[in-house]
Amino acid sequence: MRLDKFLKQSRIIKRRILAKEAIEKGFISRNGIQAKPSSEVKPGDTISIRYSNRTLVVKVLEDFEIEILKEIKE
């Protein structure tokens, strides 16, 4: 599944276009590497999302569910 679609489907980001913009601006990385909107997400991947005042790190589980690993407030 595409990263931008996954972020919308898992309800981390409300709209797919917003997810795409956040990825392009460098706020989201997959497995510690800067991602592209079309990057394929697989179970076991770790995704880091930087918001304005916090960073959310989630793990992709089977059936594309998410597990929050940590949340860092800045």
Side-chain angles (χ1 to χ4, degrees), residues 1 4-13 63-64:
M1 177 182 301
D4 56 349
K5 186 175 180 181
F6 170 77
L7 292 170
K8 189 231 182 257
Q9 182 178 339
S10 63
R11 299 182 185 177
I12 294 173
I13 298 180
D63 299 328
F64 295 100

Side-chain angles (χ1 to χ4, degrees), residues 22-34:
I23 295 166
E24 289 172 347
K25 289 180 181 177
F27 297 134
I28 298 172
S29 62
R30 184 178 61 89
N31 296 329
I33 301 170
Q34 178 62 41

Side-chain angles (χ1 to χ4, degrees), residues 28-68:
I28 298 172
S29 62
R30 184 178 61 89
N31 296 329
I33 301 170
Q34 178 62 41
K36 293 182 180 179
S38 61
S39 299
E40 287 294 316
V41 177
K42 301 174 219 145
D45 285 350
T46 303
I47 299 172
S48 176
I49 303 106
R50 285 186 304 146
Y51 295 99
S52 62
N53 61 348
R54 67 185 174 122
T55 301
L56 183 67
V57 180
V58 299
K59 183 176 182 179
V60 181
L61 303 175
E62 295 297 322
D63 299 328
F64 295 100
E65 298 287 324
I66 63 168
E67 173 187 0
I68 298 175

